[in-house]
Amino acid sequence: MKVRKAVIPAAGFGTRFLPATKSQPKEMLPIVDTPTIQYVVKECVDSGITDILMVIGKSKRAIEEHFYRNFELEDELREKGKTDLLAEIESISNLANIHFVWQKELNGLGDAVMYGRSFVGNEPFALLLGDTLLGTNDELGRPVTKQMIEICSEHGESVVALEEVDWDKVERYGIGGGEEVGDGIFKLDQLVEKPSRDDAPSNLAIAGRYVFIPEIFDYLESQTPGKNGEIQLTDAMARMMSDRSIYGLRFDGKRYDIGNKLDFLKTNIEFGLKRPDTGPALAEFINEIANDL
Ligand code: UTP
């Protein structure tokens, strides 16, 4: 089963990051010098995806501009002989075929996903949150989405990425529970959105990556509003689970939630330390300020 298409919802208000997100998308906040959503698109491309639909809305125009060509800027870089930068800028608009749709009202993640129905058609597809990066320690260097596509191809069923979180944080996430049927692969029998610690079936949190069979749209279409009066994707998945299997991949790696201020700062420090152009000076600076604390 080949997965060629991805949907990236990026319409949310980003209230956890106000005032920065009043007029600019959180998905464009940079990790060092690259917008978060560009990493997400790269993950798609490295997973074999060729066509992407981004679900956007008010104050999200900068995302569209970022993935279109900017001829004036290209001319300027060419004239100044900045060929490396020129190649990098040109490559952004060639990453994949990227399409955009506006979510009319912010009725939740499940509602946003429904805007992908005609784009996706009758094929399996990947769903990646535009404000979340997943780092992986995979020996083969496969992005998490690629690992999930392989599981989907093997079983012909949907797959969700799972991250082990502290038990006192389960109430912040969608949580999955089920039996481990392979190394880090679970056949899920429970999915609960933001459960209390006592009600949580496990501490495995849904981590912003999904690969769905197209049948998910039937369940979304008939889904009634849940928590916060929104159409919750997790609720539709829980209903689909009574007819179809859903697998979970507890990936070996780390989730970076850019919509959360502290995670955003930590991610910039971690990525900045790993880069040869910023790492040494940043490490020196951190040691310097740590000594003053
Ligand atoms: P979040 O709840 O994490 O994002 O939604 P948010 O609503 O933007 O952030 P806060 O909580 O107000 O700070 C998860 C994902 O679903 C998308 C968001 O853009 C994010 O990628 N989403 C959410 C939509 O596209 N539409 C919606 O109606 C809701």
Side-chain angles (χ1 to χ4, degrees):
M1 218 189 312
K2 201 158 166 48
V3 178
R4 314 182 286 127
K5 293 180 183 173
V7 175
I8 302 181
F13 278 128
T15 44
R16 286 169 298 159
F17 222 126
L18 281 168
T21 46
K22 187 178 172 213
S23 66
Q24 63 183 333
K26 61 176 165 179
E27 294 80 6
M28 286 300 292
L29 293 173
I31 305 305
V32 187
D33 57 4
T34 303
T36 303
I37 199 158
Q38 189 178 321
Y39 288 99
V40 177
V41 168
K42 185 77 175 33
E43 178 174 341
C44 289
V45 173
D46 292 344
S47 303
I49 282 158
T50 53
D51 289 79
I52 298 171
L53 178 74
M54 293 188 185
V55 184
I56 57 166
K58 204 167 157 49
S59 312
K60 301 283 184 169
R61 276 260 155 83
I63 300 178
E64 279 187 80
E65 276 199 40
H66 185 71
F67 291 100
Y68 285 131
R69 289 186 68 177
N70 181 338
F71 293 104
E72 290 85 354
L73 174 65
E74 288 174 22
D75 286 346
E76 173 79 6
L77 294 173
R78 198 171 294 111
E79 262 168 44
K80 296 220 159 108
K82 298 192 170 170
T83 42
D84 288 355
L85 213 44
L86 175 64
E88 192 181 337
I89 293 301
E90 281 178 330
S91 72
I92 298 171
S93 43
N94 293 327
L95 281 168
N97 301 316
I98 303 183
H99 313 267
F100 296 89
V101 62
W102 271 52
Q103 186 181 9
K104 293 192 189 92
E105 276 179 65
L106 295 192
N107 286 333
L109 176 58
D111 179 64
V113 177
M114 259 191 291
Y115 282 78
R117 186 164 206 170
S118 62
F119 165 78
V120 164
N122 199 25
E123 300 179 26
F125 67 102
L127 178 73
L128 299 90
L129 299 193
D131 61 357
T132 300
L133 306 184
L134 297 189
T136 169
N137 304 322
D138 182 52
E139 284 166 5
L140 305 172
R142 295 166 302 168
V144 174
T145 297
K146 189 169 176 134
Q147 299 169 39
M148 292 165 65
I149 289 174
E150 288 173 9
I151 299 169
C152 173
S153 301
E154 189 183 334
H155 297 282
E157 299 288 359
S158 303
V159 188
V160 58
L162 298 171
E163 182 203 23
E164 216 161 339
V165 296
D166 291 343
W167 275 97
D168 55 4
K169 294 197 179 125
V170 289
E171 59 196 27
R172 296 189 198 168
Y173 301 99
I175 299 289
E179 188 196 344
E180 190 164 0
V181 292
D183 188 17
I185 301 173
F186 291 77
K187 193 163 182 189
L188 300 179
D189 53 26
Q190 284 192 73
L191 280 168
V192 204
E193 188 58 42
K194 303 187 175 68
S196 67
R197 191 189 163 128
D198 291 340
D199 292 337
S202 77
N203 62 342
L204 295 173
I206 299 178
R209 299 288 184 270
Y210 312 75
V211 176
F212 282 119
I213 54 172
E215 284 78 0
I216 186 66
F217 290 115
D218 296 334
Y219 296 87
L220 280 170
E221 229 37 276
S222 57
Q223 185 59 49
T224 50
K227 279 224 164 99
N228 305 327
E230 295 179 338
I231 305 291
Q232 297 289 351
L233 176 61
T234 313
D235 293 345
M237 289 169 67
R239 283 175 46 241
M240 183 164 82
M241 219 161 48
S242 48
D243 303 320
R244 301 290 301 245
S245 300
I246 299 184
Y247 288 84
L249 170 66
R250 186 187 57 211
F251 66 97
D252 180 13
K254 195 166 165 189
R255 167 197 188 134
Y256 304 90
D257 175 7
I258 307 307
N260 161 324
K261 280 177 264 205
L262 186 59
D263 256 25
F264 170 77
L265 291 171
K266 286 182 182 171
T267 308
N268 262 297
I269 293 171
E270 193 176 320
F271 280 50
L273 284 172
K274 280 186 193 148
R275 279 177 51 151
D277 58 341
T278 49
L282 184 59
E284 202 176 305
F285 172 70
I286 290 171
N287 280 328
E288 219 174 272
I289 55 172
N291 286 335
D292 293 343
L293 287 178

